[in-house]
Amino acid sequence: MSGKMLIRTIVPLTFIVQAALASAQTARDYISIVGSSTVYPFATVVAETYGKTTRFKTPKIESTGSGGGFKLFCDGIGVAHPDMTDSSRAIKKSEINRCKANGVTEIIEMKIGYDGIAIANVKKNAPLALSRKDLFLALAKNVPDPEGDQRLIPNPYRTWQEVNPDLPNVAIEVMGPPPTSGTRDAFVELAMEGGCQKIDWIAVMEKKDERQYRSICHTVREDGAYIEAGENDNLIVQKLEANDNALGIFGFSFLDQNSDKVQGSMIDGVAPTFEAIADGEYPISRSLFIYVKKAHIGMIPGITEFLHEFSSDKAWGDEGYLSDKGLIPMPSAERAYFAKNISQLRANIFVDND
């Protein structure tokens, strides 16, 4: 995998926004972070370490989902609004526009590592071997008519065996995150669309009618086979224990932390392991991010120091404490690139010329 750091400076801050921030130092003396439930465990352990080893208060972190985090983050500048948001996907153009409209005009994007999306079941049952095409056919709202004719019909599949004769004859029940979740976005894009592209006559539609293509490949069925289980991935693990035949969708770190209870399915012949995600072999892998309001640096105490802790080798390095929590570290050269930029943060050199 590879990644390019994207730092967006949209327009200069206005005098009014600067005035609104003038009293922030005395109004709030801790960092406020919202966002992804996947990044939450990593941000939390960094925050706890930071709180114990610096003179600053431990940041307050709220798990809102990536989409919910961007909404709060982009609501405005000042002490009433979060300083950072975590995300398990990149910020969308529409979110950048929302930020800009509300005066959040300088956004720092920092990639922190990688994660894989696990499709898991309880360990008392046999692990599954699924393809991305299986996942698309099982979970899409509309699928190709099994009788042919290159037409779509409402999803008729009720069991995994109906999707693929090699799979168990059990009902399709998949517990996953809601639309506000970055994990849901990544699953739809990487798993479902990846499977959708295996159907030739739909794949060619991407260039002819992208809107229709995305509607087919990205729309999850709503008849009960896919169950929105909230933003709390630990809750999904608990629900799997209560429902032997269900599958759950969540980040690799939660699979890793609950390996005594659940197991990941093979996806296109690859197991969701630390090594397979790190080298890009596992097909449902993604980058994780932190977004920072540049206007809050120097106004809310400790932001720079928090970013330095997050980007230290002891945190996100190959043997860092975040890898013990399930974060897949970036290659050393990529980490060095991001760490260098963070170390120069005070120099105010983060300008995007795109």
Side-chain angles (χ1 to χ4, degrees), residues 119-121 128 130 160 173-176 240 245-249 265:
I119 316 299
N121 66 343
L128 296 181
L130 301 168
W160 287 102
E173 292 181 90
V174 179
M175 300 179 187
L240 290 181
N245 290 323
L247 298 181
I249 300 172
S265 305

Side-chain angles (χ1 to χ4, degrees), residues 118-163:
I119 316 299
N121 66 343
V122 291
K123 296 195 79 169
K124 66 173 65 176
N125 291 342
L128 296 181
L130 301 168
S131 69
R132 284 173 290 176
K133 184 177 179 181
D134 293 335
L135 291 169
F136 168 72
L137 292 176
L139 296 177
K141 184 173 183 178
N142 297 302
V143 297
D145 187 343
E147 301 299 323
D149 296 332
Q150 293 191 4
R151 69 188 186 98
L152 297 168
I153 61 171
N155 197 319
Y157 300 118
R158 295 292 176 264
T159 70
W160 287 102
Q161 195 171 75
E162 290 174 1
V163 169

Side-chain angles (χ1 to χ4, degrees), residues 75-338:
D75 271 349
I77 291 287
V79 67
H81 306 289
D83 310 305
M84 305 181 195
T85 189
D86 304 325
S87 183
S88 55
R89 60 165 173 79
I91 190 171
K92 298 177 181 178
K93 179 65 175 178
S94 60
E95 290 161 340
I96 294 173
N97 291 337
R98 175 182 171 84
C99 276
K100 180 179 177 180
N102 290 324
V104 184
T105 56
E106 293 181 294
I107 303 170
I108 298 171
E109 179 183 74
M110 183 179 88
K111 187 162 74 170
I112 63 167
Y114 300 109
D115 182 39
I117 299 175
I119 316 299
N121 66 343
V122 291
K123 296 195 79 169
K124 66 173 65 176
N125 291 342
L128 296 181
L130 301 168
S131 69
R132 284 173 290 176
K133 184 177 179 181
D134 293 335
L135 291 169
F136 168 72
L137 292 176
L139 296 177
K141 184 173 183 178
N142 297 302
V143 297
D145 187 343
E147 301 299 323
D149 296 332
Q150 293 191 4
R151 69 188 186 98
L152 297 168
I153 61 171
N155 197 319
Y157 300 118
R158 295 292 176 264
T159 70
W160 287 102
Q161 195 171 75
E162 290 174 1
V163 169
N164 181 339
D166 293 332
L167 295 176
N169 186 25
V170 297
I172 299 169
E173 292 181 90
V174 179
M175 300 179 187
T180 54
S181 168
T183 299
R184 166 77 166 258
D185 288 338
F187 173 78
V188 167
E189 180 178 347
L190 298 172
M192 288 186 58
E193 183 177 345
C196 191
Q197 289 176 337
K198 301 297 182 182
I199 302 167
D200 292 342
W201 66 270
I202 298 179
V204 299
M205 195 182 297
E206 183 177 10
K207 293 183 179 179
K208 297 179 180 179
D209 189 339
E210 184 178 0
R211 178 172 293 185
Q212 184 181 7
Y213 166 81
R214 289 180 63 84
S215 176
I216 295 168
C217 297
H218 287 211
T219 304
V220 178
R221 64 195 294 183
E222 300 172 337
D223 58 358
Y226 182 90
I227 304 160
E228 291 185 5
E231 296 282 4
N232 188 335
D233 290 353
N234 281 316
L235 183 60
I236 296 178
V237 172
Q238 293 172 20
K239 289 184 176 181
L240 290 181
E241 293 184 283
N243 187 344
D244 290 356
N245 290 323
L247 298 181
I249 300 172
F250 40 77
F252 170 77
S253 62
F254 290 90
L255 176 67
D256 188 51
Q257 296 296 317
N258 293 279
S259 59
D260 59 326
K261 303 172 185 175
V262 294
Q263 60 198 347
S265 305
M266 300 270 286
I267 304 296
D268 290 332
V270 182
T273 65
F274 188 98
E275 293 75 17
I277 296 167
D279 66 18
E281 185 182 3
Y282 184 67
I284 317 179
S285 303
R286 57 185 171 168
S287 300
L288 304 179
F289 302 90
I290 290 177
Y291 291 86
V292 186
K293 288 175 186 168
K294 192 166 183 180
H296 283 203
I297 296 175
M299 296 294 179
I300 302 299
I303 292 178
T304 300
E305 291 80 2
F306 179 78
L307 295 177
H308 286 167
E309 174 64 31
F310 220 125
S311 60
S312 66
D313 282 342
K314 68 176 182 177
W316 73 2
D318 288 333
E319 304 297 328
Y321 58 76
L322 290 177
S323 67
D324 293 337
K325 293 292 184 180
L327 181 71
I328 312 299
M330 293 179 283
S332 58
E334 193 174 12
R335 290 200 308 272
Y337 171 79
F338 284 104

Side-chain angles (χ1 to χ4, degrees), residues 14-33:
T14 65
F15 175 79
I16 294 176
V17 170
Q18 289 174 330
L21 280 170
S23 63
Q25 282 180 298
T26 56
R28 177 154 57 79
D29 60 355
Y30 60 88
I31 299 169
S32 173
I33 305 173

